[in-house]
Each structure stands twice: as C-alpha cells, then as structure tokens.
Amino acid sequence: RLGRLSLACPKVTEAGLAHLKDCPSLGSLYLSNMPVTAAGLAHLKTIAGLTELGLDGMDLTGGKLAGLEDFKRLRRLSLAFM
C-alpha cells in the first residue's frame, strides 16, 4: 500500500502518471521538475485517496491547472515555482 510518493524526474511521461491511478491508497503525491500537461494531471484525479498534491518547479501555464476542480478529495496543494 503506497501512501506517499515523491517524483523528481523529467523523464516521467503522461503514460507513466497513468499507472498511478492503480494506487487507490496514495494520499500524498509530490511531482517536481517534470513536463506535466493537463492530460497528465487528468490521470491523477482518479486516485481515490489523493488528498495532497505538490507540483513544484513546473511550467503550469496555458490551462494546465484547469482540471484541478475535479480533484474532489484534495485538501492541500503546493505550487512552488523555481
């Protein structure tokens, strides 16, 4: 049961993020310095237990955060830009 995951790898793709939907007990996810798109973030909203999300050091312009309202259980969001 994976409860917390931190990834800081620019080689993680949208397809890689899609695999996280199979981790329903994942409560905290921190992603940094990754090329994330709106489609990549959409994979994360199906994680049932996700309450904390960190998106640090990323380019989040151009509507990439538009789907955050669909994260119904999200209680904490970190957006640290470097």
Side-chain angles (χ1 to χ4, degrees), residues 27 50-54 68 71-77:
L50 190 63
T51 59
E52 295 182 28
L53 180 61
L68 282 181
F71 287 69
K72 300 300 182 194
R73 304 186 100 209
L74 198 60
R75 299 292 177 254
R76 180 174 290 160
L77 177 64

Side-chain angles (χ1 to χ4, degrees), residues 45-57:
K45 69 182 174 186
T46 61
I47 302 172
L50 190 63
T51 59
E52 295 182 28
L53 180 61
L55 303 172
D56 300 337

Side-chain angles (χ1 to χ4, degrees), residues 26-74:
L26 184 61
S28 301
L29 178 61
Y30 298 95
L31 306 174
S32 61
N33 301 311
M34 297 172 56
V36 172
T37 65
L41 290 177
H43 294 301
L44 306 179
K45 69 182 174 186
T46 61
I47 302 172
L50 190 63
T51 59
E52 295 182 28
L53 180 61
L55 303 172
D56 300 337
M58 298 182 188
D59 174 16
L60 298 172
T61 60
K64 292 178 185 167
L65 297 177
L68 282 181
E69 66 269 9
D70 296 330
F71 287 69
K72 300 300 182 194
R73 304 186 100 209
L74 198 60

